[in-house]
Amino acid sequence: MRAAVWAFVVLTSMCVASIGHAATEYFVATDGSDDNPGTRERPFASVVRARDAIRALKQGDGLPEGGVTVWLRQGTYYLAQPFELGQEDSGTETAPILYRAAEGEEVWLNGGKSVEAAAFKPVTDPDILERLDQAARGRVLQVDLAAVGVTDYLPELPAAFLGFTRRWA
């Protein structure tokens, strides 16, 4: 009986001691908002916002014992900028920083832009058609990138490179 009471006291003490050291969790969902606090009920919309919340946490009270887990809910997250993690985003052995998909949910981080199939049209410009192999004419599609919101697809190129084409045999 005395051993059972002792075990109860030890377990209770461990539970009470760990209350102040619980791991922090942030949630991210495609229908969230970066103005939200990142809770399960009011998730962030982006991994960038979650990363920035962890940076702020580290600068304030520091990482909690047990670390931080960012739970990504199902969906595709389109990134307008690269998602960069540096030394300042590292956790420790006792306070790791983890980014995870929610249990049983499929998550995609996509650095591209989704373009609907209907935006692609057959090439009709006679100058472009002339440059295509005869077998390819009528089978090549084009898209107006500016019309679908893609405006930063090439770095500045010297004029000599503009219009450069090569036919591969």
Side-chain angles (χ1 to χ4, degrees):
M1 180 70 161
R2 179 176 241 174
V5 170
W6 179 247
F8 175 76
V9 169
V10 169
L11 287 174
T12 303
S13 298
M14 289 172 56
C15 289
V16 169
S18 70
I19 288 174
H21 301 291
T24 296
E25 295 181 309
Y26 289 118
F27 294 84
V28 180
T30 56
D31 62 349
S33 169
D34 283 345
D35 292 329
N36 285 346
T39 62
R40 183 184 310 267
E41 297 77 23
R42 297 183 57 215
F44 295 135
S46 69
V47 292
V48 171
R49 177 63 180 94
R51 180 205 59 201
D52 293 348
I54 296 168
R55 286 178 177 177
L57 182 68
K58 285 179 75 172
Q59 288 181 348
D61 295 335
L63 290 175
E65 192 72 25
V68 179
T69 300
V70 175
W71 294 103
L72 300 167
R73 300 304 312 264
Q74 183 159 331
T76 300
Y77 297 86
Y78 292 97
L79 307 174
Q81 305 280 326
F83 178 56
E84 297 183 35
L85 297 172
Q87 183 65 35
E88 69 273 23
D89 301 304
S90 296
T92 67
E93 190 173 318
T94 59
I97 297 173
L98 306 170
Y99 290 81
R100 295 186 166 178
E103 184 72 30
E105 298 185 20
E106 190 171 295
V107 173
W108 292 88
L109 297 180
N110 187 329
K113 176 150 177 71
S114 181
V115 178
E116 298 293 325
F120 290 85
K121 307 292 183 204
V123 173
T124 57
D125 184 314
D127 292 335
I128 295 174
L129 288 170
E130 184 63 31
R131 295 187 320 202
L132 296 174
D133 186 274
Q134 184 67 32
R137 293 178 192 169
R139 297 174 182 224
V140 177
L141 301 176
Q142 64 185 359
V143 65
D144 179 351
L145 293 175
V148 295
V150 178
T151 58
D152 59 346
Y153 46 87
L154 286 178
E156 292 291 322
L157 294 175
F161 287 103
L162 298 178
F164 177 82
T165 61
R166 162 114 191 213
R167 181 171 182 252
W168 297 93

